[in-house]
Amino acid sequence: MDSLLSEFYRHYPHLKHNKAVESFISQSENQQLVEDFLRHPSACKEERLNEAFKAHYFDIRFTSYVSSSLYFHSVNFDKHTRKYSERHPLTLDKKGDEEGGSYIDLVPDPASDFAPFTNYSTLTECLENEELLQAYKTLTDKQKHILDLAYVQELSDTEIARMLRISQQAVSKTHRKALRILKSIIEKGES
């Protein structure tokens, strides 16, 4: 094979160190074409060799074109996406305070041990708004208990239902009714 290459480059010295030619000759079917042409040169064999090289060179150029096209499209897509994100930030990404923080900084980390009402067992202990506290005290014991489990213990209606051995619908109904009562008492106090 080395003698074949040296003979080829002796006939075509200007092609030595050409990467396209080297990759062309490195393929076995093309080696056969080069060897056949060098051993028995003819116009027909030269034409076949030239056509094979043109096809090989086209593949190289096409692959290069597709590769750079994909690269530039991905860069432009990234720029477009970044610009859109800057112009239309998600609600949690918007600036939330004067220190430059965003709303997402205010969301507690679910992995942390911090829970908002960890030190409390009922809403009576943690409500700071006096009107809301007075309204809460007007609720039935069952309504208070369900609100305590929902907001202090952070249980779902299904978990509360399982714990109290009643239906989930009954818990939801009591929960909604208690919230409506609180809302109406607060609204009456404001007017």
Side-chain angles (χ1 to χ4, degrees):
M1 179 64 200
D2 289 334
S3 63
L4 177 71
L5 285 176
S6 44
E7 185 180 341
F8 177 79
Y9 288 130
R10 191 170 47 80
H11 288 309
Y12 305 101
H14 60 285
L15 296 178
K16 197 169 188 174
H17 305 297
N18 184 314
K19 298 278 188 204
V21 172
E22 288 176 7
S23 70
F24 176 76
I25 294 176
S26 69
Q27 296 175 358
S28 60
E29 64 271 5
N30 296 333
Q31 288 173 5
Q32 189 64 38
L33 287 172
V34 171
E35 185 178 340
D36 196 30
F37 170 70
L38 290 174
R39 293 215 171 121
H40 310 286
S42 72
C44 179
K45 291 178 182 178
E46 184 178 17
E47 182 63 29
R48 239 184 293 143
L49 184 60
N50 283 334
E51 288 303 316
F53 182 75
K54 284 179 188 176
H56 177 76
Y57 191 65
F58 174 80
D59 288 346
I60 291 172
R61 290 185 60 208
F62 184 72
T63 303
S64 175
Y65 168 76
V66 169
S67 176
S68 45
S69 181
L70 285 172
Y71 171 77
F72 287 113
H73 282 294
S74 67
V75 167
N76 287 334
F77 178 79
D78 186 49
K79 285 179 186 177
H80 175 74
T81 304
R82 199 172 315 120
K83 185 188 287 185
Y84 183 85
S85 295
E86 289 170 0
R87 289 182 181 172
H88 308 286
L90 298 174
T91 301
L92 290 178
D93 292 333
K94 289 181 182 174
K95 301 298 177 205
D97 57 18
E98 54 279 343
E99 296 174 10
S102 61
Y103 289 116
I104 193 127
D105 298 334
L106 303 174
V107 175
D109 180 9
S112 73
D113 294 333
F114 175 76
F117 303 120
T118 333
N119 302 330
Y120 305 110
S121 58
T122 67
L123 283 172
T124 308
E125 299 169 353
C126 58
L127 288 174
E128 295 177 4
N129 182 309
E130 194 59 40
E131 290 177 61
L132 185 57
L133 180 59
Q134 292 310 315
Y136 173 78
K137 288 180 179 180
T138 65
L139 299 175
T140 66
D141 289 339
K142 184 178 180 180
Q143 290 170 335
K144 287 181 197 173
H145 188 57
I146 287 176
L147 291 181
D148 290 342
L149 292 172
Y151 296 107
V152 178
Q153 304 299 320
E154 298 181 343
L155 299 176
S156 68
D157 286 354
T158 307
E159 293 169 324
I160 296 170
R162 222 177 286 127
M163 178 187 269
L164 300 178
R165 294 194 171 124
I166 58 175
S167 70
Q168 187 265 331
Q169 290 82 1
V171 172
S172 295
K173 183 178 177 182
T174 306
H175 189 162
R176 280 194 312 274
K177 185 174 182 181
L179 293 178
R180 273 196 308 271
I181 292 170
L182 292 176
K183 181 182 176 190
S184 71
I185 291 172
I186 299 273
E187 285 176 347
K188 285 179 187 173
E190 290 177 358
S191 36

